[in-house]
Amino acid sequence: MDKSTEELIKKRIIGIFPKLATDKNFKLTSPINPNYNCLAWACHYNDRWMQPPSITPPPLDSVVYWPEDAKQGMEIECLIDAFRTKGYELCDSWEYEDKYQKVALYVKKDSKTWTHAARELRNGFWTSKLGQGYDIQHGTPFTIEGDSYGEVYCIMKRIF
């Protein structure tokens, strides 16, 4: 992708997530790929759509995945339960800790339904899959808070 196209795409993304405008670590890290979503990306998958099977089918011919022992639903507790099956536990800090991997789970304000998950990278930055679109890197889990994804509800971590 040429530089001008990339800048145009970044400008559009900033229009949706205005806090990224001041995030010096914001960058595009992949082309559009509708085969996986933010939950799958947070769990290190890029070949499936992670959601409870009872929710509206994903786009195209995506494979639907949900941990078999996790509660199903859109309530944030169900998403926390799904990440617990992957070894994550609630923690108090979003900041980088050596030997731990963290995820941030998002909810809309005044709601208890989940909207998004972001994953911490080994360099301490964060990564998000934006719907069916691009993967991005951002400096903190808070720079994508806003009208689209709401706010960080909790941080979870697991040992690498």
Side-chain angles (χ1 to χ4, degrees), residues 1-156:
M1 161 182 342
D2 67 56
K3 193 77 169 159
S4 64
T5 302
E6 183 175 342
E7 289 305 313
L8 180 62
I9 293 165
K10 285 176 73 175
K11 194 178 264 189
R12 287 182 183 157
I13 292 170
I14 288 169
I16 299 167
F17 305 99
K19 293 179 183 179
L20 288 173
T22 58
D23 185 339
K24 64 182 180 184
N25 300 301
F26 167 49
K27 65 180 180 178
L28 300 178
T29 56
S30 80
I32 290 175
N33 185 335
N35 295 328
Y36 60 99
N37 64 355
C38 64
L39 303 184
W41 186 239
C43 283
H44 294 269
Y45 298 122
N46 64 1
D47 63 350
R48 63 195 76 180
W49 197 268
M50 186 173 161
Q51 70 180 37
S54 58
I55 295 176
T56 306
L60 304 174
D61 295 328
S62 297
V63 173
V64 176
Y65 165 76
W66 190 253
E68 105 179 21
D69 296 334
K71 296 177 213 165
Q72 292 190 33
M74 291 297 295
E75 298 80 16
I76 189 64
E77 291 77 20
C78 296
L79 188 57
I80 290 169
D81 193 46
F83 276 90
R84 279 193 170 125
T85 69
K86 299 296 184 185
Y88 288 90
E89 290 300 328
L90 293 170
C91 68
D92 294 330
S93 174
W94 66 272
E95 293 177 335
Y96 178 80
E97 292 179 70
D98 194 34
K99 298 185 178 150
Y100 285 95
Q101 171 111 68
K102 294 186 178 181
V103 293
L105 308 182
Y106 298 75
V107 297
K108 289 276 189 164
K109 204 170 197 164
D110 302 323
S111 171
K112 295 297 181 198
T113 60
W114 52 264
T115 57
H116 183 68
R119 170 173 42 97
E120 183 184 46
L121 298 167
R122 290 185 185 208
N123 62 9
F125 299 138
W126 289 75
T127 182
S128 286
K129 168 73 169 169
L130 304 179
Q132 298 178 43
Y134 297 93
D135 298 342
I136 65 166
Q137 175 185 284
H138 43 104
T140 77
F142 307 104
T143 55
I144 59 166
E145 288 182 322
D147 292 341
S148 290
Y149 292 152
E151 57 193 29
V152 173
Y153 178 82
C154 67
I155 305 291
M156 300 182 79

